[in-house]
Amino acid sequence: MQLSEEQKSAVSHLYGPALILAVPGSGKTTVLIHRIYNLVNINKIRPNKILSITFSKASALDMKMRYQQLFHEDSMVPPFMTIHAFCYEVIRAYSKKANKNYFLIENEATKINKYTLISSIYLNINKNMITEEKLENFFSYAGYIKNMCITPEEFIKNKKIDVENFIDIFYLYEKYKKDNNYIDFDDMLSMAYEILSNDKKILNYYKNKYDFIQVDEGQDTSIIQFKIINLISSPSNNIFIVADDDQSIYGFRGAYPKQLLEFNKMYPNGKVYYLKENYRSSKNIVNASYSFISNNINRYDKDIFTRNPYKSPVKILKFKSILDQYGFIIDEINNNLDKSMAVLYRNNLSSIGLIYFLTKKNYKFYMRDFKLKFFNHWLLKDIFNFIEFSRKPTDVQLYSKIYYKKKGYISKKMVAWAYTHPSSRSVFSNLLSYPGLSEFYKTRIRELELDFKKISNLNIKDAIDYIVFNLNYHDYIKENSNRLGYTYETIMQMIFYLKLIAEDVKSVDEFRSKLTNLEKIIKDSSKEKSNLLLSTIHGAKGLEFDKVIMIDLINGQFPSSSSLDLKNGGNIFDFEEERRLFYVGMTRAKEELTLTCYNVLDSTFVKQSEFIDELNKINSAK
């Protein structure tokens, strides 16, 4: 395979630290595997002395296969593994030496696993069940703490969290694992680091085992991961990091690109190589994306270029409504049946309306790694409780779940009173018998009874609208969404999708059936054979397509509300990561790139993304 001069220069690096800054589509994997070949066949390094650490198991398998196919190596293939796999190997070595057995508690199917443990600890401390959202958030917070080498106390100083008594739960979880020799994935990192720091024999074993360390996707490396790599590579520091600081998009997991920017401070004798040529994308896409990412301050400056010709200009399209955006996507699918195509978005939630729209018109699509709590979200549960209570007004248990989420103040004591009165009567009749009620209160209760009667006669879509705006559930959302871990804009977007799905639905059962069917379609989509991928930008990293459409480019969604708030307060760190994420989405496209937004979401005006504004300025400056 013919290598460019840039690639040859990087491949020929032998001893000492090296940072290879590889722009999108510049052939970073090609450089990694050719460098191994150069070490083995030209410099006569034994293959088992070269360790390549990759970001994912899939990447490790892909690199191993490509190495074997390219160089026809069937024996003595150098090891490719994830950082977690390496750390697990370190833990097993220590386990054997210390005569201790450690048990991995990641498998949800086993009786004891990390999810059941946290659920139990949470219940004991908070006296109520943990929700799926909070359970997932707990492990996200805990993972961040371990990857960043900080304490839970330091973490909560700078983060808004939704897990009550998080610090107590964190320490109880850590103690329980330690007492029972349990470990989870994040423990692999912290425990391996502790072993390597304190056990000189094991550390020296790995120092002697590997003479050369290669790190793929270095921009996604966390502080603790980098510390582990430093331990096993010193003092020779034959460390070869392939990275792109402009594609660091995993800050929420603890990725710390600042390490790359300080590479020459850590390694004064280190060499930096640039792979600046993009072999993937058209000149239009490369020029637009390079100008865009150059707005970031904390980055290496790179003169990104391509020899590929100009093709279709980057399109920025603004539609009146989100439904018009969907209509455009349908037209693009019909006009590009022979091309690979991806519709990308910031959050998985954006896919719900689009999937419903595509399914309605019998279009096939493919999805990977879909994670979304939409189908068992508290919002859905609330909406169903409101509607079902309207049809069964004697059910005080249902009413107790919603009484404080609507207009017309009803106290907890009043609800308790209703519980003790005849279940054959409506809840409102029982509330009206509460002692000492003023006429004003009685009038409000009668109005509520009429509201729920009206809801019982509405179709599902109109019922949702009435609940949100006439029963003032909207106010509850506004006051509580952040506390419950969601932005107000996100919840209102979900309500729009619910109403879209509820079109022409007459009964609660039919609505449930439509939601269940949609969830099944999403789950089965990973098995579909289609040239159309629907994905978050995070999920599409490392992939490429003839045509890319990035959708829902709305302020508050992309960039997120939290990153905008921080930026307005002078902290640009999260905002720059959002810009990097946008850049990753742009650079998935080979031939055509379209960016779309809209003016109105469910009768509410929305503002186009600040990133669209930036790109418009770039275009007008040309």
Side-chain angles (χ1 to χ4, degrees):
M1 182 178 176
Q2 192 69 32
L3 299 178
S4 70
E5 291 305 312
E6 283 182 339
Q7 290 171 332
K8 284 178 186 174
S9 183
V11 164
S12 62
H13 179 88
L14 187 55
Y15 295 109
L19 173 62
I20 291 74
L21 292 166
V23 307
S26 61
K28 67 177 183 64
T29 305
T30 298
V31 165
L32 278 165
I33 59 179
H34 274 81
R35 197 235 177 185
I36 297 170
Y37 183 81
N38 184 63
L39 289 173
V40 172
N41 289 280
I42 308 301
N43 294 284
K44 306 305 177 188
I45 307 296
R46 282 185 291 150
N48 61 346
K49 301 293 280 183
I50 308 162
L51 171 64
S52 293
I53 293 173
T54 67
F55 188 64
S56 69
K57 189 176 179 181
S59 295
L61 293 171
D62 177 62
M63 286 178 68
K64 181 179 178 180
M65 183 184 71
R66 285 178 65 173
Y67 181 81
Q68 288 173 305
Q69 287 176 344
L70 198 57
F71 303 119
H72 307 290
E73 298 282 350
D74 295 319
S75 60
M76 285 293 283
V77 174
F80 298 91
M81 64 177 75
T82 64
I83 186 71
H84 285 86
F86 171 76
C87 289
Y88 197 45
E89 189 180 297
V90 171
I91 292 167
R92 281 184 305 183
Y94 174 78
S95 172
K96 194 174 179 181
K97 181 184 173 186
N99 197 25
K100 261 185 174 182
N101 288 321
Y102 292 95
F103 306 96
L104 188 61
I105 54 169
E106 287 287 338
N107 189 348
E108 288 185 66
T110 58
K111 186 178 179 182
I112 296 176
N113 62 69
K114 67 180 189 180
Y115 304 100
T116 55
L117 283 177
I118 288 300
S119 297
S120 176
I121 294 168
Y122 184 94
L123 179 61
N124 286 336
I125 288 179
N126 292 318
K127 308 306 177 190
N128 62 324
M129 298 293 289
I130 191 168
T131 64
E132 278 194 57
E133 289 91 353
K134 289 183 181 181
L135 189 61
E136 191 172 296
N137 287 344
F138 174 85
F139 290 113
S140 176
Y141 304 152
Y144 185 89
I145 287 165
K146 299 217 167 161
N147 274 281
M148 292 295 286
C149 298
I150 59 175
T151 65
E153 290 82 2
E154 288 169 321
F155 174 73
I156 65 167
K157 276 182 189 175
N158 305 308
K159 299 282 182 181
K160 287 182 181 177
I161 65 169
D162 63 347
V163 178
E164 296 84 354
N165 298 305
F166 170 76
I167 291 176
D168 292 339
I169 295 168
F170 179 91
Y171 283 123
L172 276 172
Y173 177 56
E174 293 302 300
K175 183 179 185 305
Y176 192 87
K177 285 185 295 178
K178 189 174 182 180
D179 290 347
N180 293 277
N181 293 340
Y182 294 149
I183 56 171
D184 61 26
F185 278 142
D186 294 313
D187 293 327
M188 289 184 190
L189 302 173
S190 51
M191 192 172 174
Y193 177 65
E194 191 178 337
I195 292 165
L196 293 169
S197 299
N198 297 314
D199 193 313
K200 297 300 178 193
K201 191 172 181 181
I202 291 178
L203 176 61
N204 288 331
Y205 170 78
Y206 283 103
K207 281 177 182 283
N208 294 325
K209 184 175 183 180
Y210 301 117
D211 291 336
F212 295 86
I213 311 291
Q214 295 197 143
V215 181
D216 188 21
E217 304 285 11
Q219 74 278 354
D220 298 324
T221 305
S222 68
I223 288 176
I224 197 163
Q225 289 170 1
F226 206 72
K227 283 185 172 187
I228 291 165
I229 291 162
N230 272 334
L231 277 175
I232 61 171
S233 62
S234 65
S236 62
N237 290 326
N238 292 330
I239 181 171
F240 188 86
I241 304 170
V242 179
D244 182 4
D245 54 305
D246 289 332
Q247 294 188 74
S248 181
I249 59 173
Y250 290 103
F252 62 94
R253 289 184 191 166
Y256 195 63
K258 192 178 177 185
Q259 294 167 144
L260 299 180
L261 300 175
E262 296 176 347
F263 179 80
N264 284 125
K265 282 186 184 176
M266 290 186 287
Y267 304 108
N269 64 329
K271 292 193 175 179
V272 178
Y273 300 88
Y274 288 86
L275 303 182
K276 296 179 287 187
E277 183 171 0
N278 182 316
Y279 296 96
R280 174 190 299 152
S281 305
S282 71
K283 203 176 286 284
N284 313 72
I285 294 165
V286 170
N287 290 349
S289 57
Y290 173 48
S291 298
F292 173 74
I293 198 61
S294 296
N295 286 332
N296 268 8
I297 296 166
N298 301 299
R299 64 184 292 270
Y300 281 98
D301 191 23
K302 315 171 192 74
D303 296 320
I304 303 170
F305 73 98
T306 185
R307 297 177 213 271
N308 293 336
Y310 285 101
K311 288 198 173 181
S312 174
V314 175
K315 298 186 188 77
I316 299 173
L317 303 178
K318 190 169 188 175
F319 297 100
K320 184 179 178 183
S321 73
I322 196 170
L323 295 178
D324 294 331
Q325 179 185 250
Y326 295 160
F328 166 76
I329 291 168
I330 294 291
D331 290 340
E332 290 297 287
I333 294 169
N334 290 333
N335 295 331
N336 295 276
L337 295 173
D338 59 336
K339 290 185 176 179
S340 61
M341 183 172 166
V343 178
L344 305 181
Y345 30 81
R346 173 68 178 87
N347 301 304
N348 262 319
L349 180 58
S350 284
S351 67
I352 295 295
L354 178 59
I355 290 167
Y356 176 71
F357 204 81
L358 291 172
T359 303
K360 202 174 173 184
K361 296 182 179 294
N362 296 314
Y363 283 90
K364 299 293 183 185
F365 55 88
Y366 167 64
M367 299 182 80
R368 63 205 292 263
D369 300 329
F370 182 88
K371 287 180 182 175
L372 181 64
K373 298 292 184 283
F374 179 81
F375 295 99
N376 57 359
H377 195 274
W378 54 260
L379 173 69
L380 266 78
K381 291 171 185 172
D382 279 356
I383 294 294
F384 276 117
N385 286 339
F386 274 109
I387 294 173
E388 287 177 353
F389 176 73
S390 75
R391 287 151 169 76
K392 197 178 176 185
T394 58
D395 193 332
V396 68
Q397 195 169 0
L398 262 179
Y399 188 71
S400 69
K401 295 175 182 177
I402 58 171
Y403 75 94
Y404 58 94
K405 299 179 181 181
K406 56 166 183 53
K407 70 179 184 180
Y409 176 75
I410 303 292
S411 71
K412 193 181 277 189
K413 283 183 181 178
M414 292 169 73
V415 175
W417 171 272
Y419 259 106
T420 63
H421 284 68
S423 59
S424 57
R425 294 198 310 175
S426 81
V427 171
F428 299 109
S429 296
N430 288 329
L431 288 174
L432 285 168
S433 67
Y434 187 78
L437 270 189
S438 67
E439 280 305 313
F440 171 78
Y441 241 120
K442 287 178 181 178
T443 301
R444 297 293 292 270
I445 290 170
R446 289 187 189 106
E447 283 175 2
L448 274 175
E449 186 170 23
L450 289 172
D451 281 327
F452 277 98
K453 276 182 182 173
K454 185 163 187 178
I455 291 168
S456 70
N457 292 315
L458 292 173
N459 63 45
I460 301 299
K461 182 183 176 183
D462 291 340
I464 295 170
D465 226 27
Y466 197 92
I467 290 161
V468 174
F469 296 107
N470 294 74
L471 275 188
N472 291 2
Y473 180 59
H474 174 270
D475 293 343
Y476 173 80
I477 293 167
K478 218 165 195 173
E479 290 168 16
N480 293 279
S481 53
N482 282 335
R483 180 180 64 80
L484 295 166
Y486 294 85
T487 64
Y488 166 75
E489 291 82 6
T490 297
I491 299 300
M492 294 310 292
Q493 190 183 358
M494 291 178 72
I495 287 167
F496 170 76
Y497 293 143
L498 285 176
K499 289 196 288 184
L500 186 66
I501 296 164
E503 277 182 331
D504 306 320
V505 169
K506 298 292 187 290
S507 70
V508 174
D509 288 342
E510 188 185 350
F511 188 39
R512 283 191 193 278
S513 178
K514 281 186 86 170
L515 288 166
T516 301
N517 185 52
L518 194 62
E519 186 176 18
K520 184 178 184 305
I521 287 166
I522 290 169
K523 284 179 179 174
D524 292 346
S525 68
S526 62
K527 302 164 194 165
E528 283 288 348
K529 290 184 178 177
S530 171
N531 67 339
L532 172 64
L533 174 75
L534 309 185
S535 175
T536 61
I537 298 171
H538 281 104
K541 190 170 182 286
L543 305 179
E544 58 183 45
F545 309 88
D546 296 328
K547 182 175 182 65
V548 167
I549 305 173
M550 290 169 60
I551 66 167
D552 289 1
L553 303 179
I554 303 300
N555 250 23
Q557 289 188 47
F558 200 4
S560 65
S561 299
S562 58
S563 70
L564 285 168
D565 290 343
L566 286 167
K567 186 193 81 158
N568 294 334
N571 182 346
I572 63 169
F573 183 82
D574 285 1
F575 188 78
E576 289 208 339
E577 177 158 312
E578 293 272 325
R579 192 184 278 118
R580 292 195 294 269
L581 184 63
F582 200 100
Y583 172 73
V584 167
M586 293 178 74
T587 54
R588 298 312 93 202
K590 294 196 286 186
E591 298 175 5
E592 291 182 61
L593 173 63
T594 305
L595 311 170
T596 71
C597 58
Y598 44 84
N599 291 321
V600 178
L601 178 67
D602 197 18
S603 76
T604 302
F605 284 99
V606 291
K607 187 177 181 293
Q608 70 183 24
S609 168
E610 284 194 18
F611 297 145
I612 294 289
D613 295 339
E614 289 182 16
L615 285 162
N616 281 330
K617 282 180 187 174
I618 290 165
N619 288 338
S620 61
K622 287 179 182 176

Short mmCIF file of all heavy atoms in Angstrom, two decimals, residues 93 185 226 250 310 387 568:
data_model
loop_
_atom_site.label_atom_id
_atom_site.label_comp_id
_atom_site.label_asym_id
_atom_site.label_seq_id
_atom_site.Cartn_x
_atom_site.Cartn_y
_atom_site.Cartn_z
N ALA A 93 -3.06 -11.00 37.40
CA ALA A 93 -1.68 -11.29 37.84
C ALA A 93 -1.54 -11.05 39.34
O ALA A 93 -0.94 -11.84 40.07
CB ALA A 93 -0.70 -10.40 37.06
N PHE A 185 -16.32 -2.35 35.84
CA PHE A 185 -15.39 -1.93 34.78
C PHE A 185 -14.50 -0.76 35.22
O PHE A 185 -13.31 -0.74 34.92
CB PHE A 185 -16.15 -1.55 33.51
CG PHE A 185 -16.53 -2.73 32.66
CD1 PHE A 185 -17.75 -2.76 32.01
CD2 PHE A 185 -15.67 -3.80 32.49
CE1 PHE A 185 -18.12 -3.85 31.22
CE2 PHE A 185 -16.02 -4.90 31.72
CZ PHE A 185 -17.25 -4.91 31.07
N PHE A 226 -4.25 7.40 31.19
CA PHE A 226 -2.95 7.93 30.79
C PHE A 226 -1.90 7.65 31.86
O PHE A 226 -0.74 7.36 31.54
CB PHE A 226 -3.07 9.43 30.53
CG PHE A 226 -2.04 9.94 29.56
CD1 PHE A 226 -2.13 9.64 28.21
CD2 PHE A 226 -0.96 10.69 29.99
CE1 PHE A 226 -1.17 10.09 27.32
CE2 PHE A 226 0.00 11.14 29.11
CZ PHE A 226 -0.10 10.85 27.77
N TYR A 250 -15.79 12.71 24.42
CA TYR A 250 -16.25 11.86 25.51
C TYR A 250 -15.91 12.44 26.88
O TYR A 250 -15.57 11.72 27.80
CB TYR A 250 -15.66 10.45 25.38
CG TYR A 250 -16.22 9.68 24.22
CD1 TYR A 250 -15.50 9.52 23.04
CD2 TYR A 250 -17.50 9.13 24.30
CE1 TYR A 250 -16.03 8.83 21.97
CE2 TYR A 250 -18.04 8.42 23.22
CZ TYR A 250 -17.30 8.27 22.07
OH TYR A 250 -17.83 7.58 21.01
N TYR A 310 -13.86 19.33 -5.62
CA TYR A 310 -15.10 19.94 -5.13
C TYR A 310 -16.28 19.10 -5.61
O TYR A 310 -16.28 18.60 -6.73
CB TYR A 310 -15.25 21.36 -5.67
CG TYR A 310 -14.35 22.37 -5.01
CD1 TYR A 310 -13.17 22.80 -5.63
CD2 TYR A 310 -14.68 22.91 -3.76
CE1 TYR A 310 -12.35 23.74 -5.02
CE2 TYR A 310 -13.85 23.85 -3.15
CZ TYR A 310 -12.70 24.26 -3.78
OH TYR A 310 -11.88 25.18 -3.18
N ILE A 387 -54.65 10.25 31.94
CA ILE A 387 -55.71 9.78 31.02
C ILE A 387 -56.52 8.66 31.66
O ILE A 387 -57.76 8.65 31.60
CB ILE A 387 -55.10 9.33 29.68
CG1 ILE A 387 -54.47 10.53 28.95
CG2 ILE A 387 -56.16 8.67 28.79
CD1 ILE A 387 -53.69 10.17 27.70
N ASN A 568 -21.92 31.29 28.52
CA ASN A 568 -22.35 32.65 28.87
C ASN A 568 -21.78 33.09 30.22
O ASN A 568 -21.65 34.29 30.48
CB ASN A 568 -23.88 32.74 28.89
CG ASN A 568 -24.47 32.54 27.50
OD1 ASN A 568 -23.81 32.81 26.50
ND2 ASN A 568 -25.70 32.06 27.43
#
